[in-house]
Amino acid sequence: MQGAKLQIAHHKTEVLLVSNCKAVQRVEITVGENVIASKRVLKYLGVILDDRLSFNSHVDYACEKAAKAINAIARIIPNNSGPSSSKRRVLASVSSSILRYGGPTWDATLKTKKNQRKLNICVIAGMIPIVITLAEDTECYMRRDTTGVRTLVRTESMAKWQQEWDAAENGSMEKSTSI
């Protein structure tokens, strides 16, 4: 850094040692006159990183942040006889945006049922499940050079959602109703 005539803010510097060893490993580095101990979790560009890169902490953080935002917005929207469809769309848009942020980075965590349940609880009924939406975002990112990929992947997502709906044992008054 000094060779490039750049300075860093020593007091803002953090260290995360990523390891898949069973024992938690720690390291200390010296930056300027500061000794910095490694952390187990840190926030970088709005995504919570942990020392195992499991992103479980990020799922918890995103769900909590989405719930707080929805509650704050719901308190300022007048509620006469329940939320209208336009109000639900606003709440859905806010929660979806928060939950989807950085999705292609941490989509591997969606393989666990625990995280899928956490994320799906955080959505409003009538929305495509956020787990499917996150997988869609990742697929679009991976195929970003393909023309019309968003439309193609959305069609695949809707088909997957319909399959899950048809296979579900609860949540539907009448099984023959499609999405």
Side-chain angles (χ1 to χ4, degrees):
M1 299 283 291
Q2 290 172 342
K5 297 186 180 178
L6 297 173
Q7 294 181 351
I8 61 171
H10 300 142
H11 63 284
K12 292 183 178 180
T13 302
E14 296 177 303
V15 176
L16 177 72
L17 181 63
V18 177
S19 172
N20 62 357
C21 295
K22 288 187 179 187
V24 175
Q25 303 203 353
R26 302 268 180 198
V27 68
E28 288 186 349
I29 64 168
T30 304
V31 179
E33 296 178 6
N34 299 336
V35 176
I36 302 164
S38 62
K39 295 184 174 186
R40 301 246 7 231
V41 175
L42 64 86
K43 185 176 181 180
Y44 182 70
L45 298 176
V47 176
I48 307 298
L49 303 171
D50 59 70
D51 57 0
R52 305 278 190 227
L53 291 182
S54 69
F55 294 99
N56 294 328
S57 298
H58 181 75
V59 171
D60 294 339
Y61 167 76
C63 288
E64 184 178 323
K65 186 175 179 181
K68 284 180 182 177
I70 288 170
N71 288 334
I73 293 170
R75 279 194 303 270
I76 62 173
I77 294 176
N79 190 9
N80 305 330
S81 72
S84 65
S85 62
S86 62
K87 291 175 189 173
R88 283 194 309 270
R89 275 195 304 274
V90 168
L91 295 174
S93 177
V94 169
S95 67
S96 180
S97 295
I98 291 169
L99 294 173
R100 292 170 72 181
Y101 179 76
T105 303
W106 54 271
D107 77 322
T109 193
L110 300 177
K111 290 177 178 55
T112 67
K113 293 285 185 199
K114 177 182 166 188
N115 286 332
Q116 288 177 5
R117 276 192 305 274
K118 283 181 194 174
L119 287 166
N120 282 331
I121 286 170
C122 291
V123 298
I124 297 168
M127 283 179 55
I128 186 169
I130 194 69
V131 172
I132 293 175
T133 305
L134 288 165
E136 179 181 305
D137 290 345
T138 301
E139 185 68 23
C140 288
Y141 176 75
M142 299 302 276
R143 296 166 50 185
R144 62 189 172 274
D145 295 332
T146 306
T147 305
V149 70
R150 178 60 73 179
T151 304
L152 176 66
V153 173
R154 174 50 59 117
T155 303
E156 293 168 359
S157 294
M158 294 304 285
K160 182 175 182 178
W161 187 19
Q162 185 65 54
Q163 286 173 345
E164 288 183 6
W165 182 262
D166 292 341
E169 294 180 12
N170 56 16
S172 171
M173 294 293 281
E174 190 176 317
K175 277 308 275 183
S176 64
T177 304
S178 74
I179 301 169

